[in-house]
Amino acid sequence: MNNKILVTYASRAGSTAEIAEAIGKTLRENGAHVDVLSIKNVKDLSPYRAVIVGSPIRGSKWLPEAMQFVQAHRSELARKPFATFTVSITLAMSKGDQYRQAVIGWTAPVRTLVKPLSEGLFPGLLDFTKLPLTFDTLKLRLVVALGIFPKDDRRDWNAVRAWAESLRPLLVG
Ligand SMILES: Cc1cc2nc3c(=O)[nH]c(=O)nc-3n(C[C@H](O)[C@H](O)[C@H](O)COP(=O)(O)O)c2cc1C
C-alpha cells in the first residue's frame, strides 16, 4: 500500500493553511511521505494511507467546503487512519483553554460523519489585511478593539508540532 499521508485543509485567510504546512513538515521530519494540499485540489484519496483534514471555525462551525469534503469522502475516510484539526480565535483568547469544550462541541458534526483518531485544536489569527470588509468582519474588528479577541498572531507552533508528532504512530502504525 502507498505510504503517503495527506494533510488537507480549508482556509480563507491563510492561517489554517500555514498550520497544515507545519503539520506536514513535522510528519516529514519524522520520516513520513506527505502531501499538503488545499481541499479544492484533492479529488482522489486512493494514493493515501492516512488523511488529516483541517478547517478554521467560522460562526461556530467548520467551513462548508471542509464539511463537504468529509461528507463526500466519508466512507473512504472511515476505512483509513483519519485525524482532524480545528483552528479558532476563541482558543487564542486569554484563558482560551476554558473554551476548549465549546470548540469540541462545534466540531461534533465532523465526528458524526467520521470519527477521527485524534483531533488537534489550535488558536488562530484574525488577519484583517486578508479579510474582506463585511458586516461579520466589522463585528470581529469591534471584538478585537474591545480586547476580547487578540489582534496579534497567537498560533502555538510548539503545540502544532507536538500534535503532529503524536500522530505519527496513529497514522502509520
Ligand atoms: C467571519 C469570521 C467568523 C469567525 N467565526 C469564528 C467563531 O465563531 N469562533 C471562533 O473561534 N473563531 C472564529 N473566527 C476566527 C477564525 O477561526 C480564525 O481567524 C482562523 O485563524 C481563520 O483561519 P484562516 O486564516 O485559515 O481562514 C472567525 C473568523 C472570521 C473571519
Side-chain angles (χ1 to χ4, degrees):
M1 190 197 229
N2 195 316
N3 220 28
K4 253 189 182 178
I5 296 174
L6 173 66
V7 182
T8 187
Y9 59 87
S11 181
R12 294 287 168 83
S15 64
T16 307
E18 288 172 1
I19 289 176
E21 290 292 350
I23 291 167
K25 183 167 181 277
T26 299
L27 290 170
R28 279 186 204 110
E29 284 165 2
N30 282 276
H33 297 282
V34 186
D35 283 345
V36 180
L37 294 170
S38 163
I39 265 170
K40 18 182 214 290
N41 296 329
V42 179
K43 300 283 171 274
D44 179 14
L45 297 185
S46 62
Y48 302 103
R49 69 134 7 254
V51 180
I52 303 167
V53 181
S55 175
I57 294 286
R58 274 209 177 197
S60 309
K61 291 179 177 157
W62 261 28
L63 286 177
E65 58 269 35
M67 284 305 292
Q68 280 153 19
F69 180 89
V70 175
Q71 168 75 49
H73 297 285
R74 62 188 295 191
S75 48
E76 208 170 349
L77 291 172
R79 291 195 301 271
K80 295 178 193 267
F82 168 64
T84 62
F85 68 96
T86 297
V87 180
S88 132
I89 198 66
T90 304
L91 294 169
M93 291 163 66
S94 61
K95 302 192 181 145
D97 270 355
Q98 289 178 356
Y99 301 99
R100 284 181 81 83
Q101 279 312 316
V103 180
I104 288 169
W106 297 339
T107 59
V110 186
R111 288 189 293 281
T112 307
L113 291 171
V114 190
K115 179 110 181 59
L117 292 173
S118 178
E119 293 180 64
L121 299 182
F122 304 119
L125 162 70
L126 282 169
D127 184 349
F128 292 111
T129 66
K130 293 185 183 154
L131 290 166
L133 201 58
T134 63
F135 183 60
D136 282 340
T137 59
L138 273 175
K139 278 194 295 186
L140 286 170
R141 280 175 188 262
L142 181 64
V143 180
V144 170
L146 291 171
I148 298 168
F149 287 159
K151 60 173 180 295
D152 49 337
D153 187 350
R154 297 279 175 88
R155 283 173 296 172
D156 183 344
W157 299 109
N158 286 336
V160 170
R161 272 191 293 274
W163 182 71
E165 271 165 17
S166 78
L167 289 180
R168 179 85 170 111
L170 292 176
L171 299 184
V172 180

